[in-house]
Amino acid sequence: MAQGARRTTVQVAGVVVLAVAVTAFLAVAAVRHGFFDLKVYYGALTWWVHDGGEIYDYLKPGTQYGFTYPPFAALVMLPMAYLPWPAAIAVSVLASVVSTAVLIWWLVDPIARRAGWTRWFALAVALCLAAAFEPMRETVNFGQVNTLLLFLVAVDLLWLLPAGNRWAGVGIGLATAIKLTPGVFIVYLLVTGRWRAALTASGTAAGVSLLAGALFPDASREFWTEALWNTGRVGELAFVSNQSLRGVVARLDPQHPSTLLWLLLVLGTLALWAWRSRAAVAAGDEATGLALTGAVMCLVSPVTWVHHLVWLLPALILLVDNAMAAPAGRRRRVLLIAATIGYALLISRTVWFWEKDFTGVDGFLGSNAYVWISLALLAFLPIRRWLAPHGSGVEASGVTQLDKADRGLPTGERHMVGRPLTVR
């Protein structure tokens, strides 16, 4: 057997073994939520379209949960009301899987090219590992929209914005109109001085929201004046699944959580994020800007359920990216160990050991484990700098700049240029 064929056989066998292992792991570790959130969306839309009810008045029977997204999200999801329930499940799962696969391909394929890995093999391994990732499996099991929003933002930040495309910002605007929290990426554009893209994102979000308001004036009025401010519809802040800074503070004193302490933590976190985001953009590292902003969104949002932490996926992949770009040695080992520990914790359901009792030092540390990961990624995720050929004079500012020929490349492909890469 030729060496190439033997290598392919070994890789296929490796992927099959990994897929079987992940399937077995999911059979034991994954919690079946029965597409709970999708049932809420489906029930609300059916109530609205077929039963003549108001979409924001609907509550899933026996629960306090109703439709909490803006009216434009209802417009986007409207076709679901005309599908049978099994078809709605199929569309939800397919959309999550496809959007995740594309995003992972964008982030992993450049690593494979630079490291000399077989590209299909690297993608297959990454997809298997992503299937075990707790936020990812929770997103699929709940029928959530997280990966679709991440995909829309990534289109802007990994492709359109680095290329100077005039449509950059549309994806962020659509994501913000569907679910308000991605609006932090508009702030990211402003903080890093990309005014045109910020204006495009803001205009897109406002435009499609006004469209939804014109089509559904009663629903829009109720959302913006009542439903948006009804925090009881989203769940208990101290619940261990809330892996945000607000959740940390709430678990310190569930009866009287300190708003002042939370705001101080948020301000400090935002200051760190703004400083690091500006450094990432100055270095031409838009992928890290995406990862840092995804992490800060999870931290400062009042409610960040575990399934929302799919926004940490780019940061974990970039840890591996930076490790493989570093010379063999201590730095590479540290980055790979950090990526492994972060990933291992985020597939382990660690925080749920403290679901009933999060008191004491062990409860404080363990019940907030995913928050600590988000903070560590925000503070220490390396920012990539590109080393120009000696004597080119582009390093005088202290942050190495990309050559003009490289600036037009999508961020995810810049490290394939062939020059050495350093990180800080």
Side-chain angles (χ1 to χ4, degrees), residues 133 135 269 272-273 276-277 287-296 298-299 309-320 322 334-335 337-343 346 369-383 424:
F133 190 55
T269 301
L272 174 63
W273 161 74
R276 300 214 73 217
S277 294
T288 297
L290 164 65
L292 294 174
T293 307
V296 85
C298 294
L299 288 165
L309 296 175
V310 294
W311 290 90
L312 299 184
L313 190 60
L316 291 175
I317 294 175
L318 288 173
L319 276 180
V320 177
N322 283 289
V334 168
L335 291 172
I337 290 171
T340 301
I341 292 174
Y343 173 77
L346 283 165
Y370 301 165
V371 179
W372 311 141
I373 294 173
S374 298
L375 283 169
L377 290 170
L378 177 62
F380 301 113
L381 181 66
I383 293 173
R424 62 175 182 177

Side-chain angles (χ1 to χ4, degrees), residues 2 16 69 81 147 158 287 353 404 406-407:
V16 171
Y69 293 167
T147 59
L158 299 183
F353 290 118
K404 291 182 179 179
D406 301 335
R407 292 174 185 165

Side-chain angles (χ1 to χ4, degrees), residues 69-263:
Y69 293 167
F72 178 67
L75 176 61
V76 172
M77 297 181 186
L78 192 59
M80 188 190 305
Y82 300 95
L83 295 177
W85 173 239
I89 294 176
V91 170
S92 173
V93 173
L94 183 63
S96 292
V97 170
V98 171
S99 58
T100 301
V102 173
L103 175 66
I104 289 177
W105 174 253
W106 288 344
L107 294 171
V108 169
D109 187 58
I111 310 174
R113 294 191 188 192
R114 188 183 62 239
W117 300 338
T118 304
R119 296 165 66 192
W120 72 263
F121 177 69
L123 177 63
V125 170
L127 290 176
C128 287
L129 295 177
F133 190 55
E134 183 178 356
M136 187 64 64
R137 64 185 193 241
E138 292 279 286
T139 287
V140 174
N141 282 330
F142 272 115
Q144 264 284 344
V145 298
N146 306 306
T147 59
L148 299 175
L149 302 180
L150 177 54
F151 173 82
L152 286 173
V153 172
V155 169
D156 269 347
L157 297 190
L158 299 183
W159 294 97
L160 300 184
L161 194 61
N165 192 294
R166 64 190 180 95
W167 295 103
V170 169
I172 292 172
L174 291 174
T176 302
I178 292 171
K179 188 174 182 179
L180 299 179
T181 48
V184 71
F185 284 93
I186 299 179
V187 183
Y188 166 73
L189 295 174
L190 292 171
V191 165
T192 54
R194 272 76 65 81
W195 310 108
R196 177 173 177 173
L199 182 62
T200 299
S202 301
T204 300
V208 296
S209 296
L210 289 173
L211 172 63
L215 294 174
F216 317 124
D218 293 337
S220 296
R221 186 182 309 108
E222 182 167 354
F223 175 78
W224 294 109
T225 61
E226 296 183 27
L228 175 62
W229 313 105
N230 184 359
T231 56
R233 295 163 63 93
V234 300
E236 175 59 44
L237 291 176
F239 184 41
V240 75
S241 182
N242 185 12
Q243 291 293 302
S244 68
L245 292 173
R246 186 61 161 158
V248 173
V249 172
R251 283 185 285 276
L252 289 174
D253 185 359
Q255 299 304 317
H256 304 94
S258 172
T259 299
L260 176 60
L261 176 58
W262 173 57
L263 290 175

Side-chain angles (χ1 to χ4, degrees), residues 353-366:
F353 290 118
W354 290 272
E355 179 181 4
K356 303 299 183 182
D357 182 9
F358 38 73
T359 59
V361 175
D362 65 313
F364 176 71
L365 295 176

Side-chain angles (χ1 to χ4, degrees), residues 157 162 188 194 277-289 383-386 399-402 406-407 409-412 414 424:
L157 297 190
Y188 166 73
R194 272 76 65 81
S277 294
R278 288 175 62 87
V281 171
D285 190 359
E286 207 71 67
T288 297
I383 293 173
R384 294 175 291 185
R385 297 185 300 171
W386 299 91
V399 176
T400 308
Q401 302 297 313
L402 292 169
D406 301 335
R407 292 174 185 165
L409 290 175
T411 300
R414 285 177 175 167
R424 62 175 182 177

